[in-house]
Amino acid sequence: MHRVLILGGTSEGAALADKLSADPDFIPITSLAGRTREPKDVQGLLRQGGFGGVEGLVKYLKLEKVFAVLDATHPFATQITKNAFFACQIAKIPLARLTRKPWVAETGDDWDNVENIEQAVASIPVGSRVFVTTGRQELEPYFKRDDIWTLVRVIDMPAKKLELGTGKFIAGRGPFSVEDEVDLMRDYEVDLLVSKNSGGQSSYGKIIAARRLGLPVIMVRAPELNLGTVVCYSLHEASDWLQGFLH
C-alpha cells in the first residue's frame, strides 16, 4: 500500500481522505495546520501542526516514505502550497493540487473584485454595515476603520480579545444554508459583504444570499501562483492522477 500525504483543512481534503481510505492501493495521511481548535474527523491517518518549512517537509516525506502528495489546502493558503512544490521537487515525489474553480459573477451579482484584504478594507464606503467572512488571520485592517460597523464570522473565536471599532464577532462552521445567510444579513441589517473568492459549494450560500438581497460584494481574488503544478478540480481527477503512477 502506498502512503499519500494530503495537505488538508478543506472539505475537499476530507472527501479525498474518505475516498483513498476505501482504496486498497493507498493509505491517506491528512496533515492539518492546527489553526482550528476542533477539526472535522477524517478517515485514515492524521497529523497536526507545521512541518518546519521546506526542509522539514522534505524530511517528513522521506521518513514516512510518502508515495505522492495532494495539496488540498485552502486556495488562499499560499505558503504551504509553495513549500509543497519545492519539497516535492527536492524529494522527487509526485505532487498535484486538488482545488476549487473560483466563483464567477452571475446575473444579479454586484461584485467589486479586489486583489487583497487591504484593498477590500479600503473599498468599504463610510457608514457601511459590513459582513466580513475572510477569516480570523487577517482581521487587523478592519479594526482601523472606526467609521463602519463590522460583523465578523470566524470558525473559532480569537484566543485573545480583539477590539472592533464598532461591531460584533460571531462563530460558526459552514456549510450555511442560503436561508440562514439571508436571515443573518437581515437580522444585522448588513448592507455589504466582504468575501474571499474561495470557490466551492460549502460557503457559496452567502453569495446567493447577497444576490437575493441585492447587496454588493467586495470579492478578494484568489492568488495566482503559477508553479506549474498539476491541478485537479474533482476527486475523480485526483484519483485518476494517483492511479496513473501505479501502472
Side-chain angles (χ1 to χ4, degrees):
M1 297 178 74
H2 302 280
R3 298 165 77 84
V4 177
L5 178 64
I6 301 171
L7 303 175
T10 60
S11 56
E12 290 80 10
L16 180 61
D18 288 348
K19 184 175 181 63
L20 295 187
S21 290
D23 189 320
D25 289 322
F26 302 112
I27 300 173
I29 308 169
T30 298
S31 175
L32 301 178
R35 293 194 180 98
T36 303
R37 292 177 199 141
E38 295 182 9
K40 294 180 180 178
D41 292 335
V42 295
Q43 296 296 313
L45 304 178
L46 176 67
R47 72 170 301 280
Q48 287 188 267
F51 290 98
V54 173
E55 183 179 351
L57 181 51
V58 170
K59 288 180 180 178
Y60 179 86
L61 295 174
K62 292 180 176 179
L63 180 66
E64 295 296 327
K65 296 181 172 57
V66 172
F67 173 71
V69 178
L70 273 153
D71 176 9
T73 54
H74 192 277
F76 284 77
T78 56
Q79 191 57 60
I80 184 59
T81 293
K82 291 176 183 177
N83 288 354
F85 174 77
F86 291 115
C88 286
Q89 280 201 324
I90 293 169
K92 295 180 170 54
I93 291 174
L95 166 70
R97 180 150 173 73
L98 174 61
T99 192
R100 317 156 182 168
K101 292 183 179 180
W103 299 319
V104 177
E106 298 182 6
T107 301
D109 286 330
D110 178 11
W111 291 5
D112 178 11
N113 291 293
V114 298
E115 298 300 324
N116 52 50
I117 296 297
E118 288 71 23
Q119 286 187 15
V121 174
S123 300
I124 299 172
V126 173
S128 297
R129 292 181 65 85
V130 189
F131 182 24
V132 173
T133 62
T134 51
R136 65 188 177 97
Q137 301 297 316
E138 301 173 278
L139 289 176
E140 291 295 337
Y142 298 99
F143 302 157
K144 299 174 183 176
R145 291 288 305 267
D146 57 4
D147 55 351
I148 59 176
W149 188 93
T150 311
L151 176 66
V152 179
R153 182 167 68 197
V154 293
I155 294 176
D156 295 316
M157 295 297 280
K160 64 177 182 178
K161 186 174 177 60
L162 297 174
E163 295 293 341
L164 288 169
T166 310
K168 180 180 179 66
F169 276 102
I170 56 174
R173 186 196 297 269
F176 304 98
S177 71
V178 175
E179 291 71 21
D180 286 344
E181 298 287 58
V182 167
D183 289 344
L184 181 68
M185 293 183 199
R186 280 178 172 159
D187 289 346
Y188 286 101
E189 299 179 341
V190 167
D191 55 28
L192 176 68
L193 170 67
V194 181
S195 173
K196 289 179 175 178
N197 193 337
S198 53
Q201 292 301 312
S202 62
S203 60
Y204 191 57
K206 63 189 175 187
I207 308 302
I208 300 174
R211 184 186 306 142
R212 287 187 183 177
L213 293 170
L215 302 183
V217 179
I218 297 176
M219 186 69 77
V220 183
R221 291 188 182 94
E224 295 184 15
L225 297 178
N226 298 320
L227 296 172
T229 307
V230 172
V231 178
C232 304
Y233 291 108
S234 69
L235 295 181
H236 181 73
E237 288 181 21
S239 179
D240 281 354
W241 175 80
L242 275 175
Q243 290 289 341
F245 291 99
L246 298 181
H247 308 294

